[in-house]
Amino acid sequence: MFTVLRLSDDDGVTVTDDTFRATFGRWKVETPRSNVVGTEVTGPHRWWTAVGLRLSFADDGITFGTNHERGVCIEFAEKVPKVIGFRPHSSLWVSVADPDALAAALA
């Protein structure tokens, strides 16, 4: 499990051979691992765009963020069901303790 600087003890990202799952408070994204088609380690970002549960103004991506320094943008082949907003999501940005390790695990 890749630790998110947490809202609750259950928050984080879990990657198995079959599944990708990210939780942030009462929200979650779960999809087959085969649906993950790309990752990019990014940052730093403005704190007001990277901290909290956010919907991107540029696209349909969402953020599960607890810091603005670094995180991983995870792209999906098929959009995941909507968490917030009105449409499903094509990407998720997460701030985890080790962004490089998460990106490598999903490569």
Side-chain angles (χ1 to χ4, degrees):
M1 181 168 176
F2 296 87
T3 303
V4 173
L5 302 173
R6 307 168 181 234
L7 288 179
S8 73
D9 290 340
D10 297 328
D11 289 346
V13 176
T14 303
V15 178
T16 68
D17 289 341
D18 301 320
T19 306
F20 168 86
R21 181 178 187 188
T23 58
F24 188 73
R26 64 180 182 182
W27 301 279
K28 75 174 180 174
V29 169
E30 188 168 341
T31 190
R33 185 159 175 207
S34 60
N35 194 36
V36 175
V37 293
T39 62
E40 182 179 2
V41 176
T42 65
H45 300 282
R46 297 174 302 233
W47 70 266
W48 60 89
T49 63
V51 175
L53 173 64
R54 302 276 189 240
L55 181 62
S56 171
F57 289 119
D59 58 22
D60 57 17
I62 56 171
T63 295
F64 288 178
T66 56
N67 77 74
H68 67 283
E69 294 300 319
R70 291 180 77 222
V72 182
C73 182
I74 301 147
E75 299 174 58
F76 305 113
E78 293 185 26
K79 294 181 179 186
V80 297
K82 75 177 179 87
V83 174
I84 58 173
F86 299 105
R87 303 181 307 182
H89 308 293
S90 60
S91 64
L92 169 67
W93 188 86
V94 293
S95 56
V96 293
D98 191 344
D100 296 313
L102 176 56
L106 291 170

